[in-house]
Amino acid sequence: MVGPERPQFVLFGSSIVQFSYSNEGWGALLAHIYARKADIILRGYSGWNSRRAVQILDQVFPKVSSFCHQQGDLNQSSLSLKNFPADAAKQPSLVIVYFGGNDSTHPHATGLGPHVPLSEYIENVRKIAIHLKSLSEKTRVIFLTAPPVSDEQIRADLGDLVDMVRTNESCRIYSEACLEVCREMNLKAIDLWTATQQIDNWETVCFTDGVHFAPEGSKIVVKEILKVIKEANWEPSLHWKAMPTEFSEDSPYDPVSPEGKTVNVSELDLLGSFQWE
């Protein structure tokens, strides 16, 4: 364990999550914005669908009672975190979930591949949500829907690698299904299928290969996530500007200004976090 203990934000999903730390990805952007405030933890599995996600939920997100049973009795006082109940100290404060794009690929003639029928996908989203909500009363959940895809770019960049049919229309259907489940369960959801297509020339500027986000696409994801977090009525707030900065007290070891006074740089915005506002 590395201390001090911080709130944890877990990114859980398929390749759009796994690759989110590369190429100015949205995971890396979140890690920068929440530096010294929360730990952004990656649990991304390239090629996965919601069926595989459901199978490993207990391993990626074990419940505290199960963890304590496996590890033996724990000193509950060591689990406490200011503003967060004891069970939340071992559980993430926020889980951002993305599955659906691979599910939406058309069935392959061999019966192999990532396709998951729509009815099963809907049930899998519900199972994932129920499990995550049961982790802690303070664990918040945001689902990302399947974004659109650039059909032409997929054929050009991925046609020789995989034999699959993944269309913008199938992504729309699975995106809407995810949104509907989240509405039924009163969960936060981000309609990436619609948000991405608001950008001019989105087919060519938002993706690296027709599926995975280029920097411009990642910026859309981050802006939508921060918007949801800011507008959510969560206590404590998980918006980056509302969270305390670790070790932010003034120090005689801070850099010295031309006036001969120390400058507290713990929250100095050198890299442009405030652009997200």
Side-chain angles (χ1 to χ4, degrees), residues 20 80 144 156 160 164 187:
S20 67
S80 63
L144 307 179
D160 293 336
M164 70 173 188
L187 290 170

Side-chain angles (χ1 to χ4, degrees), residues 27-230:
L29 292 173
L30 286 176
H32 164 61
I33 293 167
Y34 280 91
R36 298 174 68 167
K37 296 174 181 287
D39 287 332
I40 310 299
I41 299 173
L42 204 62
R43 290 295 181 269
Y45 305 94
S46 181
W48 279 40
N49 56 23
S50 64
R51 184 182 295 165
R52 295 183 76 177
V54 168
Q55 293 171 354
I56 50 87
L57 273 176
D58 287 325
Q59 297 176 61
V60 178
F61 299 102
K63 298 183 180 181
V64 169
S65 57
S66 300
F67 178 85
C68 292
H69 178 73
Q70 294 169 9
Q71 300 297 320
D73 292 335
L74 292 175
N75 180 356
Q76 289 299 312
S77 64
S78 68
L79 298 179
S80 63
L81 182 63
K82 186 178 181 181
N83 295 328
F84 289 82
D87 62 337
K90 280 293 180 182
Q91 297 295 358
S93 299
L94 174 65
V95 183
I96 299 175
V97 184
Y98 167 72
F99 289 101
N102 292 326
D103 299 64
S104 74
T105 58
H106 292 195
H108 195 272
T110 63
L112 303 173
H115 171 74
V116 171
L118 183 61
S119 59
E120 182 187 346
Y121 170 72
I122 291 171
E123 188 58 30
N124 289 342
V125 170
R126 188 172 286 113
K127 289 177 180 177
I128 293 170
I130 290 171
H131 183 88
L132 295 178
K133 288 178 67 176
S134 73
L135 295 178
S136 161
E137 64 178 18
K138 291 294 186 180
T139 295
R140 312 304 184 183
V141 181
I142 300 174
F143 275 84
L144 307 179
T145 76
V149 294
S150 173
D151 299 337
E152 184 175 339
Q153 201 173 6
I154 288 177
R155 288 191 294 270
D157 295 345
L158 298 176
D160 293 336
L161 178 64
V162 291
D163 179 19
M164 70 173 188
V165 177
R166 181 167 169 175
T167 66
N168 206 17
E169 176 61 15
S170 64
C171 288
R172 180 191 66 79
I173 293 170
Y174 280 67
S175 173
E176 291 182 355
C178 179
L179 291 173
E180 180 60 30
V181 173
C182 290
R183 280 192 291 266
E184 292 174 2
M185 301 185 69
N186 195 28
L187 290 170
K188 304 296 184 184
I190 295 172
D191 182 0
L192 289 183
W193 192 86
T194 298
T196 304
Q197 294 183 82
Q198 303 307 305
I199 303 299
D200 291 339
N201 302 315
W202 64 268
E203 300 99 325
T204 56
V205 303
C206 288
F207 303 105
T208 60
D209 54 12
V211 174
H212 303 104
F213 286 118
E216 194 64 31
S218 283
K219 291 177 183 178
I220 297 170
V221 180
V222 171
K223 288 180 179 179
E224 293 296 324
I225 289 172
L226 293 181
K227 179 181 177 182
V228 167
I229 293 175
K230 186 175 184 179

